[in-house]
Amino acid sequence: MRTAPAALAAHLAGEATTTCHCWRVTRRDGVVLGFTDHDRDLALGGTAFLAASGFSASEAEAAAGLSISADEVSGGFSSAAIREEDLAAGRYDGARVEQFLVNWAAPDQHMLLNIREIGEVSRAGGEFRAELRSLAHRLSQPQGRVYSRRCDAVLGDARCGLDLSSWRGEGAVIEVKDASRIVVSGLGGFESGFFRQGALTFSSDGAADVETHERRADGTAELTFWLPLEEPIAAGETFTVTAGCDKSFATCRARFANHLNFRGFPHMPGADFAYSYADGERVHDGGPIFE
């Protein structure tokens, strides 16, 4: 049960109140931002809370117990507050949001109402909407491993154990054909498809997932991305690209020679085996029922 500080409780008990809401957003990279629905900036707890940022919240209901509640905040993009490129880069994913009730006439009189985490974020028309999830949503996250034919490790992580230093390339952008295709130099020593399903990081901090990699006759290469780039890039931009993996046992063994660390279950029977049955004309070996 929340208990309001004595000074704030006395103010709330009065005939007229001067209260507003403030939100303190702490991103995973340590950046702290403050927003308020008041008509002027406020400062409390060492954080400046910006007004006129377009930041507002939807109605929310509080519930007892560990039920998962979610509400929403929305706002417009501005250079002084939330930038669209920061949202596109995922810098607000999982950010911590603290909501305060504040007496704007005396900001020292404030009370923490709740703590949320930013969930799904949508962007459209220069505005954003972000879901605020209660901390109880962490209890619903899947735990343990899932049986699958494909590997569930991340290429190069501790469970994979592969040294990616031999599977990286560096180069520079020669031509930008569109937001999904670029021509690059520096990858002439790699065969076509080497960086298929790989990850590319630009020197300007942008990133993209590679869909296809084609080596051209003049020694350059053309890379196609799964999704269009969020931020424009120019010729001369440098990058680092890492080879990808389709998570299959065949690729792990033939391409990376890392099959001893394969983290999937390639010999697990599939759905055809589960629905198969024994009869007098067929061997019950898990093969397809209908051919």
Side-chain angles (χ1 to χ4, degrees):
M1 181 177 179
R2 300 182 186 89
T3 302
L8 180 60
H11 174 72
L12 295 176
E15 295 183 357
T17 60
T18 54
T19 59
C20 64
H21 290 94
C22 292
W23 296 268
R24 180 162 56 204
V25 180
T26 305
R27 300 188 333 203
R28 290 190 173 184
D29 58 3
V31 174
V32 178
L33 300 172
F35 308 92
T36 178
D37 56 10
H38 188 44
D39 58 3
R40 62 181 176 87
D41 296 349
L42 299 174
L44 60 100
T47 302
F49 293 84
L50 302 179
S53 61
F55 197 89
S56 60
S58 65
E59 294 183 359
E61 295 182 357
L66 295 177
S67 60
I68 300 175
S69 60
D71 43 286
E72 187 179 79
V73 294
S74 61
F77 298 114
S78 69
S79 59
I82 295 179
R83 300 186 303 165
E84 185 171 9
E85 51 266 35
D86 289 334
L87 284 173
R91 298 187 178 99
Y92 286 90
D93 293 350
R96 176 188 175 98
V97 180
E98 300 166 277
Q99 182 182 17
F100 297 88
L101 178 66
V102 181
N103 177 4
W104 53 261
D108 289 340
Q109 300 176 15
H110 62 271
M111 177 178 65
L112 178 64
L113 295 180
N114 56 56
I115 300 175
R116 296 283 193 266
E117 286 186 353
I118 292 182
E120 297 182 3
V121 179
S122 60
R123 297 172 291 131
E127 297 181 349
F128 72 91
R129 291 185 178 276
E131 178 190 23
L132 296 183
R133 299 173 178 172
S134 66
L135 298 183
H137 87 278
R138 296 181 181 178
L139 300 177
S140 65
Q141 299 299 312
Q143 301 294 325
R145 298 183 60 190
V146 176
Y147 284 96
S148 172
R149 286 179 177 269
R150 295 188 180 272
C151 180
D152 63 353
V154 177
L155 184 66
D157 69 2
R159 297 177 62 235
C160 172
L162 187 68
D163 182 5
L164 294 181
S165 59
S166 301
W167 299 94
R168 287 196 178 101
E170 297 180 351
V173 178
I174 298 177
E175 177 187 356
V176 180
K177 290 193 170 183
D178 54 45
S180 298
R181 293 185 304 157
I182 60 174
V183 178
V184 302
S185 63
L187 303 183
F190 300 93
E191 296 296 329
S192 292
F194 188 89
F195 294 107
R196 181 176 178 270
Q197 297 183 335
L200 183 146
T201 303
F202 291 103
S203 56
S204 60
D205 199 28
D209 294 324
V210 178
E211 180 181 9
T212 62
H213 162 221
E214 296 182 9
R215 180 181 176 183
R216 308 205 308 185
D218 59 359
T220 62
E222 181 173 323
L223 301 178
T224 303
F225 304 129
W226 284 104
L227 296 173
L229 297 173
E230 292 282 355
E231 300 180 19
I233 59 171
E237 182 98 22
T238 58
F239 65 85
T240 301
V241 61
T242 305
C245 178
D246 63 6
K247 307 295 185 180
S248 69
F249 181 75
T251 299
C252 186
R253 178 176 56 187
R255 186 180 191 191
F256 299 105
N258 195 41
H259 50 283
L260 295 180
N261 286 331
F262 187 72
R263 300 302 176 178
F265 304 87
H267 306 298
M268 182 179 67
D272 284 338
F273 179 82
Y275 290 107
S276 63
Y277 53 88
D279 59 28
E281 299 179 358
R282 185 182 301 273
V283 178
H284 187 55
D285 62 352
I289 302 174
F290 300 103
E291 298 180 354

